[in-house]
Amino acid sequence: MAESTISPDAETTGVRAAKSERRRRQLLDRALSVFNERGLEGTSLRALGEAIGVSHGALRHYFPSREHLLLEVLREADRRALEFSEESGKGAVDFVLRGADYNMRIPGLMALYNTMAASALERDNVTSREFFVERYDNIRRALVTVFEVGREQGTIRSDISIEDAAALVIAACDGLATQWLIDPQVDMRSAMHLLDRLLGTSSTI
């Protein structure tokens, strides 16, 4: 019987890393709940630590600053929204709308996106800027893939750049989300479906 080539030290390190990642995800899950309950102003590292029952120092082991915490909350929300969106099986507009629908289940989450995106515009705020550069790049790539499928199926216009279309869909969704946050009577879904028709996708109107 062949012996394991994994050294005891490496195995122990792997177990510790897996345990640390599970704990980190537990903290993020709780952070989403605390953010839902208390909003942006109430989600400090200290407040989160008190709500979870861990020390401020222990929490800083995973999130060195409030900015890191909030960005990781957004990253986790994006991950969950992406999983939710991928179940749509429809066009690009449905893809982003399902993601928006998921985020809107947590009051204030879309406001947090806006707040942190505005923070990323500050010249010296490298951490938030890098997060949003990566975030928008990932969303554009996902949308381009959806558009490519639509083009192969003949359900999207052939005379447009799908890369530009992906950027346009994101811009429309973000802009409408900001309007909706200010005035809940703004109908995001209706406006996005108008864009859907203009792009010539196959989503159900």
Side-chain angles (χ1 to χ4, degrees):
M1 183 176 181
E3 295 183 0
S4 173
T5 58
I6 301 176
S7 69
D9 287 345
E11 187 173 357
T12 299
T13 299
V15 170
R16 288 176 178 171
K19 183 178 180 180
S20 178
E21 179 59 22
R22 284 196 301 271
R23 181 55 171 161
R24 181 176 171 278
R25 287 203 171 275
Q26 289 173 353
L27 293 174
L28 280 175
D29 188 63
R30 183 58 181 142
L32 282 166
S33 298
V34 173
F35 181 79
N36 186 24
E37 296 164 2
R38 304 185 182 185
L40 177 61
E41 296 305 317
T43 313
S44 65
L45 285 177
R46 193 171 302 279
L48 179 61
E50 292 174 354
I52 297 174
V54 299
S55 69
H56 184 254
L59 195 59
R60 285 182 65 88
H61 171 72
Y62 296 94
F63 311 106
S65 69
R66 183 171 183 264
E67 180 185 22
H68 280 85
L69 167 66
L70 295 177
L71 291 177
E72 287 304 310
V73 166
L74 293 182
R75 183 174 282 111
E76 178 64 13
D78 278 344
R79 186 188 67 79
R80 298 182 184 189
L82 179 60
E83 290 181 352
F84 187 73
S85 297
E86 287 176 339
E87 298 174 0
S88 68
K90 295 184 180 180
V93 165
D94 286 285
F95 182 88
V96 296
L97 278 176
R98 281 179 67 82
D101 287 344
Y102 182 88
N103 288 333
M104 288 164 65
R105 294 178 179 184
I106 302 177
L109 187 56
M110 296 183 78
L112 177 60
Y113 278 110
N114 278 13
T115 299
M116 298 305 290
S119 176
L121 296 176
E122 298 174 7
R123 180 176 299 177
D124 298 329
N125 198 341
V126 177
T127 303
S128 290
R129 182 181 296 271
E130 288 179 346
F131 170 84
F132 279 98
V133 167
E134 179 185 5
R135 178 177 188 266
Y136 282 126
D137 182 61
N138 289 338
I139 297 175
R140 282 194 300 270
R141 288 173 183 270
L143 289 174
V144 164
T145 298
V146 175
F147 277 126
E148 286 175 340
V149 172
R151 179 159 288 176
E152 290 174 358
Q153 296 174 343
T155 56
I156 180 174
R157 291 171 52 176
S158 60
D159 62 338
I160 62 173
S161 162
I162 55 178
E163 289 78 13
D164 290 344
L168 178 61
V169 168
I170 296 171
C173 188
D174 281 1
L176 287 165
T178 300
Q179 294 182 58
W180 175 81
L181 286 168
I182 296 172
D183 180 5
Q185 295 186 22
V186 172
D187 191 339
M188 285 182 60
R189 187 167 294 277
S190 177
M192 288 298 290
H193 280 311
L194 172 59
L195 176 60
D196 199 20
R197 292 198 298 272
L198 295 174
L199 293 174
T201 62
S202 61
S203 301
T204 301
I205 309 299

